Amino acid sequence: LRMIANYGVSRDADGEIHLACMPAANAIGLPRAAADGAADDAGKEGEAAAAATRFAEALSRAGLPTDVVDDIRRAEWKKTIINGAINPVSAITHDTVAQCVATPSIWATVEALLDEGIAVAKADGHEWDAGFRDGLLEYIRGVGAHKTSMEQDVVARRRTEVAFINGRIAAIGDMKGVPTPTHHAMLGLLEGMELAWEMT
């Protein structure tokens, strides 16, 4: 099973986690290879689908709404595009998401990252409806006064996920012939920051 978590948390103290936001339901599903499995794997596929349903129901009862989705790969792309747009910007500026939204020059960078991510996902075979972009922007606006996990990593001088998020979007863009200059810039800036930590 794969799951996309759509909530933001912060660690207030040892043993204390604060749920800051949940702009959309979580998503859980089977990887495409399993979902399209051969007939002789139908039993295992059915067990996995049942497990996904049970897990989603348990999380929803606990106050974390979770949906079972048919195409988890599409959900992965959606979350990657969002994280690739807001996480590095908040990490570099040390702003909350709400502050990034409210600052026109910063928000323009977020939108540029978002547009590049959508273009790369499309080149990778994922089509989006006309309201997809606006929906992603609304998701980001709904996060509010939350410091992203990447910003929290920077404050703690932990290695960030920039290579796995922006680096991956940029790499796929390079392979598909889709320009991603803003993602490359975020990758270079944050990896440079991480290198500086190692030298001090």
Side-chain angles (χ1 to χ4, degrees), residues 71-197:
D71 189 351
I72 194 66
R73 178 65 174 160
R74 188 175 179 85
E76 288 173 347
W77 257 118
K78 179 179 178 180
K79 185 65 183 293
T80 298
I81 293 168
I82 291 169
N83 284 353
I86 190 60
N87 286 17
V89 175
S90 68
I92 291 170
T93 62
H94 293 295
D95 286 333
T96 65
V97 175
Q99 289 169 326
C100 292
V101 171
T103 307
S105 57
I106 298 175
W107 187 240
T109 303
V110 172
E111 288 191 288
L113 288 162
L114 191 87
D115 289 339
E116 290 176 11
I118 292 172
V120 170
K122 184 175 181 179
D124 197 44
H126 295 275
E127 293 291 335
W128 313 105
D129 59 37
F132 181 71
R133 182 181 187 274
D134 289 342
L136 297 190
L137 293 174
E138 188 62 28
Y139 178 111
I140 295 171
R141 292 187 186 100
V143 172
H146 171 62
K147 294 290 185 86
T148 66
S149 59
M150 196 176 289
E151 194 279 337
Q152 294 178 51
D153 286 339
V154 167
V155 170
R157 292 197 167 194
R158 294 187 296 259
R159 186 171 293 277
T160 71
E161 295 178 309
V162 69
F164 300 101
I165 300 175
N166 301 87
R168 185 60 178 159
I169 291 173
I172 295 174
D174 290 344
M175 288 188 294
K176 301 291 185 179
V178 179
T180 56
T182 322
H183 282 275
H184 277 289
M186 296 296 107
L187 178 64
L189 289 169
L190 280 159
E191 286 191 333
M193 193 182 299
E194 293 170 358
L195 181 61
W197 300 337

